[in-house]
Amino acid sequence: MLKLTKKADYGLIALRHLASIPTATASTKEIADTYHLPVPLLAKVLQRLTQTKILISVAGTNGGYRLARDASKISALEVVRAIDGPVILTHCFTDHGSCDQSDNCTVREPLRRVHEAILDVLNRFTIDDLAEPVAQPRASKLTPLPTPLHQVINSLQPVSN
Amino acid sequence: MLKLTKKADYGLIALRHLASIPTATASTKEIADTYHLPVPLLAKVLQRLTQTKILISVAGTNGGYRLARDASKISALEVVRAIDGPVILTHCFTDHGSCDQSDNCTVREPLRRVHEAILDVLNRFTIDDLAEPVAQPRASKLTPLPTPLHQVINSLQPVSN
DNA sequence: AGATACCGGACAGATTTAGTCCTGTATCGA
DNA sequence: TCGATACAGGACTAAATCTGTCCGGTATCT
Ligand code: FES
Ligand code: FES
């Protein structure tokens, strides 16, 4: 649970790689070789990223992929959604909209909030961020007192799905 | 991906239910009936919650389960871990500690931070929070400017795994 | 042309999750 | 003491996902 799929992993790795060579293009094979990833699988991941306008593909000899926009404009959430489909926390606010319970179920609404909080984290994280190991080597307990959850929640910006 | 398992879902529902009757106990069957959950499955979930000291079981006629401590002292993270096992975001910082890449892989460290941010959200969320629909009906854009990720990260309190 | 690369669906195998079943043990109440 | 109630927990099956492969097709550069 709460596990990134390998595909998403591969996608992030590839994107991060492409971000490091902003002008040039890299082929599936190149990237796969560099990071020892299964070629055909990575290929499909890159295809999907192209479909979703995150990458641009260049066919032909010396072709390959390059980012469709700046690395700072591509969020991890977008990538994950492109590859793995919509992110779903509970089964209750999906397809048909509600399980048999949705009325007397007390858990539904609150869980949706956790859901959004998580999406928000993913949303703030860009491919850019994947590159730099961050100034402060290790995050530290700057907030010894745990921030109450509702505060965290209230600072969220709406993220659909 | 990033999906709560049904078991975890069931567990949270059950806990929330038990939180609403702090003194009394409720049997597996009672809870399952109330929320239309598969009895044997819920039973196993509750068993695990008992093993991990989140619940206390009472055998015999009129037996059942009750919370082992106050609802505000039980975090969603704890529950999820009890039921689904350790939460893992990437495959790279698990078992053996590293994939073949861990050296030239640039994604590893940054991803670990996203991971922690998510765990942190889950960690702050208690069974208590599941109960109340929160004062402000809908979270709003109190922070129109997205908080930079590293700020979010720096405010984290360490959470293992 | 011919070589290189992307495109995209179909498909097989492995892993995870969901859900069932059955035997055993503890406790309460009559 | 007997019997009903309820938890304990392992073994097992089935369904759903995820991982990874294969292949025929198309676009592009040299
Ligand atoms: S169990 Fe489905 S809405 Fe809560
Ligand atoms: S791919 Fe394993 S450490 Fe990044």
Side-chain angles (χ1 to χ4, degrees):
Chain A
M1 115 92 209
L2 221 60
K3 185 170 39 183
L4 226 49
T5 65
K6 284 193 182 175
K7 283 194 221 171
D9 226 359
Y10 295 167
L12 290 173
I13 292 174
L15 286 174
R16 142 69 205 171
H17 178 82
L18 290 171
S20 72
I21 48 165
T23 69
T25 76
S27 73
T28 302
K29 195 161 167 305
E30 265 170 34
I31 301 177
D33 284 355
T34 306
Y35 301 97
H36 302 109
L37 310 177
V39 180
L41 188 50
L42 177 62
K44 237 192 318 211
V45 169
L46 296 181
Q47 275 169 38
R48 193 139 323 161
L49 291 177
T50 304
Q51 287 170 356
T52 51
K53 314 284 192 201
I54 293 172
L55 288 182
I56 289 178
S57 68
V58 180
T61 314
N62 286 102
Y65 295 93
R66 65 189 160 80
L67 299 185
R69 48 198 136 104
D70 196 80
S72 65
K73 295 255 171 58
I74 304 174
S75 78
L77 179 59
E78 192 181 358
V79 173
V80 168
R81 280 215 269 236
I83 296 175
D84 287 336
V87 174
I88 292 169
L89 188 56
T90 69
H91 312 265
C92 293
F93 37 96
T94 47
D95 333 292
H96 35 68
S98 60
C99 72
D100 1 348
Q101 289 300 304
S102 46
D103 285 336
N104 58 351
C105 172
T106 49
V107 169
R108 178 189 169 85
E109 256 305 288
L111 263 190
R112 202 178 52 69
R113 281 194 215 96
V114 186
H115 183 217
E116 293 200 3
I118 291 179
L119 287 188
D120 187 67
V121 169
L122 241 36
N123 194 36
R124 284 195 183 130
F125 204 92
T126 72
I127 296 301
D128 225 48
D129 294 321
L130 282 185
E132 2 202 321
V134 163
Q136 294 88 337
R138 182 59 191 86
S140 48
K141 32 209 106 169
L142 288 183
T143 27
L145 317 175
T147 309
L149 183 70
H150 60 82
Q151 245 180 55
V152 174
I153 285 170
N154 282 336
S155 70
L156 293 186
Q157 35 187 356
V159 176
S160 68
N161 183 7
Chain B
M1 120 88 209
L2 219 62
K3 186 171 39 184
L4 225 51
T5 65
K6 284 193 182 175
K7 283 194 219 170
D9 226 0
Y10 296 165
L12 290 173
I13 292 174
L15 285 174
R16 144 69 203 171
H17 178 83
L18 290 171
S20 73
I21 47 164
T23 67
T25 74
S27 72
T28 302
K29 193 161 169 306
E30 266 169 34
I31 301 178
D33 285 355
T34 306
Y35 302 97
H36 302 109
L37 309 178
V39 180
L41 188 50
L42 178 62
K44 239 196 312 215
V45 170
L46 296 180
Q47 273 170 40
R48 193 140 323 159
L49 291 177
T50 304
Q51 286 169 356
T52 51
K53 314 284 192 200
I54 293 172
L55 289 181
I56 288 177
S57 68
V58 181
T61 315
N62 286 102
Y65 294 93
R66 64 187 162 80
L67 298 186
R69 48 198 137 102
D70 196 82
S72 64
K73 294 254 171 60
I74 304 175
S75 78
L77 179 58
E78 192 181 0
V79 174
V80 168
R81 280 215 269 237
I83 296 174
D84 288 336
V87 174
I88 292 169
L89 189 56
T90 69
H91 312 265
C92 293
F93 39 94
T94 48
D95 333 290
H96 35 68
S98 60
C99 72
D100 359 351
Q101 289 300 305
S102 46
D103 285 336
N104 56 351
C105 172
T106 49
V107 170
R108 180 190 169 84
E109 256 306 289
L111 264 189
R112 201 179 51 69
R113 281 193 216 94
V114 186
H115 183 218
E116 291 199 4
I118 291 178
L119 288 188
D120 187 66
V121 169
L122 241 36
N123 194 38
R124 284 194 184 131
F125 204 93
T126 72
I127 296 302
D128 225 47
D129 294 321
L130 281 185
E132 2 202 320
V134 162
Q136 294 88 336
R138 183 59 191 84
S140 48
K141 33 208 107 172
L142 287 184
T143 28
L145 319 174
T147 309
L149 182 71
H150 59 84
Q151 242 179 59
V152 174
I153 285 172
N154 281 337
S155 71
L156 295 183
Q157 37 188 356
V159 175
S160 68
N161 184 7

